[in-house]
Amino acid sequence: MLHGILFILKIIGILLLAVLGLILAVTLLVLLAPVRYRLKASVLEKNPDVDLRITWLLHLLSVRARYHPKGGPFDLSVRILGIRLGGRKKSGEDGDGDEDGEIKLRDRAEEGTEQEDSDDEFGEEQLLELLEKGLEDTDGLPEERAEGNAGAAEPDDTSAGQGNGAAQADRLTAEPDEEDWERLFAENETDSEAFDMGKAFGAEKEKSSAADRLRRIIDKIGSSFQGIPEKAEKLKRSAEKLAEKKNSLVELIQDADNQSLFRLLLKQTGGVFRHIRPRKLRLYLHFGFTDPSLTGKLLGYASIFYAYYYKTVDLVPEFQTDTLILEGNLYAKGRVRAGTLLCKGVRLLFNRGCRKMIKRVLKR
């Protein structure tokens, strides 16, 4: 009985150790196995071509991103053990789809043009039929009836014209009597009185509007003077806040722990940059502007750092060109270890100034 229990405990212990060993092995692989990257980029005739590959643990996991205008706008693929996630892309699948799409679009365009032509023909036929019907209706009218109507209309017009002319002549030749003169004088008197009243009313209105404008101006000036104490108080509070921020910033900079934190932060940042920088780098750049002086200035600025990139970068300027030239290719290859980044982060956390800074931020 005891022997069986010990045997079961032994098996359980072996299984636990195996699980712990597996977890430790996976953790070490994640921390120590580098993530490798490779970048290829080129620009020729204003057409960029970018190819980025990221692999981990002997291509156990690989990611590829490519941008190529002629072969497709953007392609992203993720593979595990060489198997692409989301299914494998068949060769010629995109081309067949594009051809089918072009055929469908062409058929739709042809159907649309045929429908438009049929609509136009139908509209023209209707217009011609309506015109023919209208002509037949006008031809069916008797000419004698039209001539009779025209002849009957002429004497009426002449007689009406003669009557109106005689009435106007009598009205003009007739002399005004005493009643007409009295009516005219009364109308003139009323018009002059109305004119004088309107003139006086306009003058009073102008005076009242000027007084209102003056009153509004005085009110605005008074309100602006009333807001001066409040504005002064706001300015005072803002100045006090700025002074407090300035004092806190000075204390933060002059603190010895913070100074050590800043130095450590600069050191670790430099170490991270040196770790992730490409181990292999090659850049070829052919550039030129329509203004030769601008090309020369850019080349002069780049020559300041020539001692740092003379082994990896080739700059070829073009001083005589009518168009902008920006061509070249880039090749970069490097690796990143998660364990290295983790160690640098742990060093920052163990710094006393960093812990104080974290506590201060959490309190806020």
Side-chain angles (χ1 to χ4, degrees), residues 22-277:
L22 182 61
I23 293 173
L24 181 62
V26 171
T27 305
L28 291 175
L29 283 176
V30 171
L31 294 177
L32 301 179
V35 177
R36 302 183 184 276
Y37 64 88
R38 186 180 67 181
L39 175 64
K40 291 182 180 180
S42 64
V43 179
L44 296 175
E45 297 179 356
K46 298 181 180 180
N47 292 323
D49 186 1
V50 182
D51 187 4
L52 175 64
R53 292 188 179 185
I54 300 173
T55 59
W56 178 72
L57 196 62
L58 301 175
H59 293 266
L60 177 67
L61 175 66
S62 63
V63 180
R64 182 178 182 182
R66 184 171 184 182
Y67 174 80
H68 186 62
K70 295 181 179 179
F74 184 75
D75 182 21
L76 177 65
S77 62
V78 180
R79 296 176 183 271
I80 298 177
L81 295 174
I83 301 172
R84 178 168 178 165
L85 298 180
R88 188 171 182 179
K89 191 175 181 180
K90 296 180 181 180
S91 61
E93 183 179 355
D94 293 343
D96 296 339
D98 295 338
E99 290 177 359
D100 294 339
E102 291 178 358
I103 293 169
K104 290 180 180 178
L105 290 174
R106 197 181 302 115
D107 294 338
R108 290 179 182 176
E110 291 176 357
E111 290 177 359
T113 53
E114 289 176 359
Q115 187 174 1
E116 290 177 358
D117 295 338
S118 63
D119 293 340
D120 295 337
E121 292 175 359
F122 181 70
E124 292 176 358
E125 290 177 358
Q126 281 187 343
L127 182 60
L128 291 174
E129 290 178 359
L130 291 173
L131 289 173
E132 289 176 357
K133 289 181 179 179
L135 291 174
E136 289 175 359
D137 293 338
T138 54
D139 292 339
L141 291 174
E143 295 179 357
E144 295 178 356
R145 184 178 177 183
E147 291 177 356
N149 292 331
E154 289 178 358
D156 294 338
D157 295 338
T158 54
S159 62
Q162 290 176 1
N164 292 330
Q168 290 178 358
D170 295 337
R171 195 180 296 112
L172 291 172
T173 55
E175 294 181 358
D177 52 3
E178 293 180 358
E179 294 180 357
D180 295 334
W181 287 110
E182 291 177 357
R183 187 174 64 255
L184 289 172
F185 281 121
E187 290 178 356
N188 290 329
E189 288 178 358
T190 54
D191 291 340
S192 61
E193 290 177 358
F195 178 74
D196 293 337
M197 291 176 65
K199 189 174 181 181
F201 179 73
E204 292 179 358
K205 190 175 181 181
E206 288 180 357
K207 290 180 182 179
S208 62
S209 62
D212 292 338
R213 286 198 296 271
L214 183 60
R215 191 180 298 109
R216 285 196 296 269
I217 292 170
I218 293 171
D219 293 338
K220 287 182 180 179
I221 293 172
S223 61
S224 62
F225 277 111
Q226 289 177 359
I228 287 175
E230 296 179 357
K231 293 180 180 179
E233 188 67 24
K234 289 181 180 179
L235 289 173
K236 184 179 178 181
R237 287 197 297 269
S238 61
E240 291 176 355
K241 288 181 180 179
L242 288 174
E244 290 177 359
K245 290 182 179 179
K246 178 185 175 182
N247 295 330
S248 62
L249 183 61
V250 170
E251 292 178 359
L252 184 66
I253 294 173
Q254 292 179 352
D255 191 3
D257 294 335
N258 292 333
Q259 289 180 359
S260 65
L261 174 62
F262 294 150
R263 287 194 295 268
L264 180 62
L265 185 62
L266 290 175
K267 182 179 179 181
Q268 298 301 321
T269 304
V272 170
F273 178 74
R274 287 190 297 271
H275 176 68
I276 66 175
R277 68 178 180 179

Side-chain angles (χ1 to χ4, degrees), residues 31 264 268 272 338-352 354-355 358:
L31 294 177
L264 180 62
Q268 298 301 321
V272 170
T340 304
L341 301 179
L342 182 62
C343 289
K344 295 185 181 299
V346 170
R347 287 181 183 177
L348 284 175
L349 290 176
F350 277 107
N351 183 268
R352 185 170 62 182
C354 183
R355 292 197 300 271
I358 293 172

